[in-house]
Amino acid sequence: MAVPFAQLVQQRQKETELREALRQIRTALDAYRQGVREGRIEAAADASGYPPDLDALWQGEADKTKPDASKLYFLRRLPRDPFFPDPAAAPASTWGLRSYASPPDAPAAGRDVYDVYSLSPQTGLNGVPYREW
């Protein structure tokens, strides 16, 4: 009886980590886009304004409004998907990526990162697949 309860507790803990990681990354993506809108981050005229990859969020981008070449950082570190099976994988490779140009029902990677999702095929305790969180 204790084993199923322990598994349930572990799954809830991972779900909490997943929610928090998604919130952090999505907030950072929006902050990056805001930096482009404000003219603080260099972007092509035809670009969406979202980062080219997830690593740009923690590696930083040059702040073109500051003459001292300071950088804008959006995350201290990139969180991992807690449901990704390989603990040695780089954090950026643990997420599915959706570009601005891809449709919402068929997310696909592209020139930028508009959103992220879990690559886990599992379903959450709420009945919704982690991929759709």
Side-chain angles (χ1 to χ4, degrees):
M1 190 173 213
V3 173
F5 181 72
Q7 289 173 339
L8 180 67
V9 168
Q10 184 179 23
Q11 185 174 359
R12 278 195 180 140
Q13 180 181 5
K14 282 186 173 185
E15 285 186 1
T16 301
E17 289 175 30
L18 177 62
R19 270 191 212 93
E20 181 63 21
L22 288 170
R23 185 193 62 75
Q24 286 178 2
I25 294 171
R26 288 172 175 161
T27 300
L29 290 170
D30 291 340
Y32 186 100
R33 174 87 159 99
Q34 186 63 32
V36 170
R37 282 185 187 161
E38 293 171 354
R40 297 181 74 189
I41 298 173
E42 187 85 32
D46 64 341
S48 67
Y50 289 98
D53 55 36
L54 289 177
D55 290 329
L57 299 175
W58 66 270
Q59 290 175 344
E61 291 286 341
D63 186 348
K64 68 181 205 175
T65 62
K66 304 276 179 154
D68 62 354
S70 62
K71 285 188 165 188
L72 295 170
Y73 296 96
F74 304 96
L75 291 172
R76 288 186 183 199
R77 66 172 183 80
L78 185 64
R80 302 175 48 80
D81 180 348
F83 289 98
F84 196 77
D86 183 6
S93 66
T94 65
W95 297 103
L97 306 178
R98 176 180 168 216
S99 73
Y100 187 73
S102 72
D105 56 341
R111 293 180 14 181
D112 58 12
V113 180
Y114 173 71
D115 196 14
V116 294
Y117 58 91
S118 177
L119 295 172
S120 174
Q122 298 174 328
T123 300
L125 295 173
N126 61 0
V128 178
Y130 294 129
R131 183 180 176 98
E132 296 175 13
W133 281 27

